[in-house]
Amino acid sequence: MDGSATTFGSSQTRSPNPLSGAIHTPLSSPNRTNQAVAQEVANLFRQGRQGEAVAVLNNQKQAQPPAVQQALDRMVSAELQYSISPNSAYNGLNLFASPAEIGTAIRQINEAGSEPPEMPDTSTLSDQQKFDVYASIVQTRGDQAAQNDLANGNSVIVGLRAETNTLENRGRGAYDDRIAVISRDANGTVHVEEFNQVSTEPSAQYDANLASHPDNRFRRPVGVDVTGDGIRDQGRLATPQTIQMYEDTHRNPVSAGGTDFALRPTQLAVNQGQGGIERFTAGTGYVDNSNPATNDDLNRTFKIHSGSRTNTDSAGCTTVHPNDYVRFENSIRTNPGQTTWNYLLTEVSP
């Protein structure tokens, strides 16, 4: 998605707004939060004042990194909750933005609300900007429960999946996905912790359909036979999906009989998880159109837990590199009273 914005200088003067009958200078307002600007932009669109809406939006995007510009588009889309189209009714009037600028902005907003996000580059962002990026993904890809958690000061786990073949690393998986844990206190203080060594996909070492593949160090089959061929089919969480999780344990692979902290789907999540699992049935290392009967229902085995240093240990769970796992556990506990966590998992655009 193109996150570039047209630049509008704040010193520009504007003609009276023909729709309100009064002088309107949308670019002269003091600095406001991205969310407040998104709300104003959405209101202007609802009133048919598209040129003003685009001018306000582009002015807020000015000098902000691409990840934040794209977040603003998602925020506006979430505020509108419907797709918009260019309005030609006022093309003959003195607009705040050209028809081409309006068309580009509307396309970007509509795409932001309906398409997967990019994997955001947050390396130069402040915590507030990072929060805006991930919260906007919750707004457009998450369910109402996740949005309510953010509004109520609870932590939300945002997972971003970059599609990877399960044969990567000789079937032991790759830590090439991301998790962000975000929350906002009642006083407005935001908390953001990012984890860039994460796997949200299974590894082929547990895929019976790839047991004899020369690039696979096969260990054992894990999964459910959904095609009736007698072979257990490996699974992963479908996207986008929000899963309510609760605290549980997972066997520690390096400690005989030991267990580690883990998060597991609640019974409510399982009850609501029809079609929540995609099964790998074609023996290609991907879920694609060649896979028959790929959809299955969520079950309680799809956890978040620690992996190993050179092996994701994932048979479909979300796993976090052990160097980051204690920090991950601590990050979800900003609200001591929180006992369940909403985990939003979405794919990202290539």
Side-chain angles (χ1 to χ4, degrees):
M1 185 182 304
D2 181 7
S4 62
T6 304
T7 299
F8 291 86
S10 59
S11 62
Q12 286 181 280
T13 58
R14 299 294 178 183
S15 300
N17 176 11
L19 300 180
S20 65
I23 298 292
H24 183 71
T25 54
L27 308 184
S28 61
S29 302
N31 290 335
R32 292 171 296 161
T33 66
N34 288 324
Q35 190 64 56
V37 170
Q39 291 169 350
E40 180 186 359
V41 170
N43 285 333
L44 288 168
F45 272 121
R46 292 189 191 100
Q47 296 167 26
R49 297 156 66 177
Q50 294 187 346
E52 294 172 79
V54 171
V56 172
L57 177 61
N58 285 343
N59 188 67
Q60 185 72 5
K61 286 182 176 181
Q62 184 177 335
Q64 295 213 61
V68 181
Q69 295 181 24
Q70 293 163 11
L72 275 160
D73 288 333
R74 286 191 292 269
M75 290 177 181
V76 173
S77 178
E79 289 289 336
L80 286 169
Q81 297 188 340
Y82 57 83
S83 295
I84 49 179
S85 301
N87 182 353
S88 61
Y90 303 103
N91 278 352
L93 301 176
N94 184 8
L95 301 176
F96 291 90
S98 71
E101 291 166 335
I102 293 171
T104 296
I106 286 176
R107 175 181 56 80
Q108 291 175 342
I109 291 167
N110 289 339
E111 289 178 351
S114 61
E115 299 295 327
E118 294 180 6
M119 185 70 80
D121 178 1
T122 61
S123 57
T124 63
L125 303 190
S126 67
D127 280 353
Q128 181 62 61
Q129 288 175 318
K130 290 178 183 179
F131 180 87
D132 288 347
V133 168
Y134 294 116
S136 69
I137 294 173
V138 174
Q139 287 177 303
T140 53
R141 308 292 282 177
D143 68 4
Q144 190 61 50
Q147 295 172 37
N148 290 345
D149 263 356
L150 273 187
N152 294 328
N154 288 327
S155 295
V156 173
I157 304 166
V158 182
L160 304 179
R161 172 186 288 159
E163 186 84 17
T164 305
N165 193 291
T166 63
L167 287 164
E168 189 77 16
N169 190 24
R170 297 189 62 81
R172 292 174 295 183
Y175 289 117
D176 60 355
D177 299 326
R178 183 186 301 176
I179 276 178
V181 180
I182 63 172
S183 64
R184 179 169 51 200
D185 297 341
N187 65 6
T189 301
V190 298
H191 305 273
V192 181
E193 290 287 344
E194 295 178 298
F195 305 89
N196 291 307
Q197 295 188 90
V198 172
S199 175
T200 68
E201 297 181 281
S203 47
Q205 61 193 325
Y206 301 111
D207 188 346
N209 288 290
L210 290 169
S212 60
H213 196 285
D215 293 331
N216 188 19
R217 293 183 177 178
F218 183 70
R219 296 171 68 179
R220 58 186 173 86
V222 176
V224 175
D225 179 12
V226 295
T227 59
D229 60 1
I231 299 175
R232 297 170 72 176
D233 301 303
Q234 195 173 50
R236 70 177 184 183
L237 293 171
T239 59
Q241 181 178 189
T242 304
I243 307 102
Q244 186 189 67
M245 314 286 275
Y246 73 99
E247 182 175 347
D248 200 20
T249 59
H250 179 79
R251 182 181 61 84
N252 187 324
V254 297
S255 174
T259 59
D260 286 333
F261 162 85
L263 293 176
R264 186 187 294 273
T266 64
Q267 189 59 51
L268 175 63
V270 172
N271 293 345
Q272 297 176 342
Q274 290 80 14
I277 300 301
E278 295 174 323
R279 295 286 174 187
F280 292 72
T281 62
T284 63
Y286 288 108
V287 171
D288 55 34
N289 292 334
S290 66
N291 285 256
T294 58
N295 288 106
D296 196 9
D297 295 338
L298 178 67
N299 63 63
R300 295 178 65 250
T301 66
F302 287 84
K303 303 185 292 291
I304 300 178
H305 64 83
S306 176
S308 301
R309 298 190 186 282
T310 60
N311 192 323
T312 64
D313 294 325
S314 175
C317 296
T318 296
T319 61
V320 180
H321 193 282
N323 287 354
D324 293 333
Y325 198 64
V326 171
R327 183 166 65 92
F328 168 73
E329 181 180 353
N330 292 336
S331 73
I332 69 171
R333 302 191 187 280
T334 55
N335 181 352
Q338 186 172 0
T339 58
T340 61
W341 292 264
N342 277 299
Y343 172 35
L344 163 64
L345 177 62
T346 181
E347 74 279 23
V348 296
S349 61

